[in-house]
Amino acid sequence: MRTARARHYLMCRPTHFDVVYSINPWMDPTKPVDTPLAIAQWERLREVYLNLGHTVDTIDPVPGLPDMVFAANGATVIAGRALVARFRDAERRAEGPAYHDWLRDNGFPELRTAAFTNEGEGDYLPVGDWLLAGTGFRSDPRSHDEAQEFFGRPVIGLQLVDPDYYHLDTALTALDENTVAYHPGAFSPGSRAVLERLFPDAVRASAADAAAFGLNATSDGHNVVLPQNATGLADQLRDRGFNPIGVDLSELLKAGGSVKCCTLELRRAH
Ligand code: ARG
């Protein structure tokens, strides 16, 4: 028996989406990007959320910030407290203040901009009482201590080792308060052992489903929205009582992002 809980999400329309620089292996600036198609795919994702009964707020896209559609990277918000991102790359740095101002103006007064490089929910995923935290490519390991202090939650640091899975949310997804799905190959041996210890019943995704960005998913506890090409993972989820909903975000994948990257969860409680 799985129960859905309505979520509050923040998204950013990909009005200015493009691939004009490369800061992860998926990004090839010589490949054409169809921005109108990206917008249509993003609108569909938003519609899926609204049909599931979730609240979706939007932040105004800023010209010259083609990756701003990846709202997950803007902050981590738990129990009404927001730790705003500090991006590794100069190309994305101005997104931090944009998310900061949106949160300040929309009822999140308890907010702080991270002192160390921290790419928000790209690398920080709350699961039950824990805050899982990725490092290796983007977020500075020192940001893990900062997040633990700020949120007062035990941070579990996880080492990412495969550049294709450069953010935690490309390799692991939180399905409910105590269930995760992940791609073991994205983690160091020690971090794999940590995940096995904490989540012995986790869903282990195949390399093919990970490559389809299947782990870049969102869950409300029952419905799991994920890239439609991750069909094996969808079957595994269905076997576990979840309701997988596939969506096509092929244009956004050209920047190394998909469902979860486009979705920042605003947690007022929990
Ligand atoms: N092009 C973006 C970057 O490399 C993609 C970000 C994807 N976001 C995520 N939450 N994984 O920064």
Side-chain angles (χ1 to χ4, degrees):
M1 259 302 270
R2 305 279 178 195
T3 5
R5 181 165 54 76
R7 306 294 165 132
H8 186 179
Y9 293 139
L10 179 61
M11 298 179 72
C12 180
R13 193 172 186 269
T15 312
H16 310 293
F17 175 66
D18 204 348
V19 177
V20 292
Y21 51 79
S22 181
I23 55 173
N24 71 54
W26 303 82
M27 300 176 86
D28 178 356
T30 65
K31 260 204 212 155
V33 168
D34 183 340
T35 304
L37 179 56
I39 293 170
Q41 293 175 336
W42 178 91
E43 292 287 1
R44 174 74 197 125
L45 173 63
R46 185 165 165 268
E47 229 174 73
V48 167
Y49 287 148
L50 294 173
N51 290 339
L52 289 171
H54 303 318
T55 302
V56 181
D57 282 332
T58 54
I59 178 173
D60 288 338
V62 176
L65 296 177
D67 273 334
M68 195 173 165
V69 57
F70 301 118
N73 299 132
T76 306
V77 184
I78 305 172
R81 291 169 70 74
L83 186 57
V84 178
R86 179 177 295 278
F87 285 86
R88 182 194 68 176
D89 298 291
E91 292 90 341
R92 298 197 66 186
R93 213 151 285 157
E95 294 180 42
Y99 281 93
H100 175 279
D101 292 355
W102 189 93
L103 289 162
R104 182 199 56 205
D105 296 343
N106 288 275
F108 293 90
E110 290 187 77
L111 84 177
R112 179 199 301 179
T113 295
F116 296 103
T117 299
N118 174 327
E119 298 202 349
E121 281 202 316
D123 277 324
Y124 284 94
L125 295 173
V127 183
D129 286 336
W130 289 308
L131 182 53
L132 305 186
T135 188
F137 297 100
R138 299 291 181 90
S139 295
D140 188 314
R142 289 171 296 179
S143 78
H144 292 182
D145 288 345
E146 187 183 12
Q148 176 161 293
E149 197 58 35
F150 183 74
F151 292 115
R153 293 196 166 218
V155 165
I156 307 288
L158 298 167
Q159 190 74 33
L160 296 163
V161 295
D162 181 339
D164 279 349
Y165 305 106
Y166 56 92
H167 274 144
L168 181 62
D169 74 354
T170 65
L172 182 147
T173 187
L175 297 167
D176 65 19
E177 296 303 294
N178 44 48
T179 317
V180 299
Y182 66 98
H183 169 45
F187 295 92
S188 69
S191 294
R192 279 207 294 271
V194 168
L195 289 170
E196 276 160 27
R197 186 174 285 270
L198 291 183
F199 306 108
D201 299 325
V203 175
R204 285 168 185 75
S206 70
D209 287 328
F213 252 56
L215 294 159
N216 198 244
T218 55
S219 172
D220 63 13
H222 178 224
N223 304 290
V224 182
V225 184
L226 79 171
Q228 64 179 15
N229 288 341
T231 51
L233 180 59
D235 290 342
Q236 286 171 289
L237 293 172
R238 211 173 286 112
D239 288 346
R240 299 287 195 102
F242 293 99
N243 178 39
I245 301 172
V247 294
D248 182 9
L249 290 176
S250 59
E251 286 310 297
L252 295 170
L253 193 53
K254 294 177 179 171
S258 192
V259 175
K260 172 59 201 170
C261 300
C262 292
T263 314
L264 174 61
E265 186 166 351
L266 304 174
R267 301 176 190 82
R268 292 209 183 256
H270 304 281

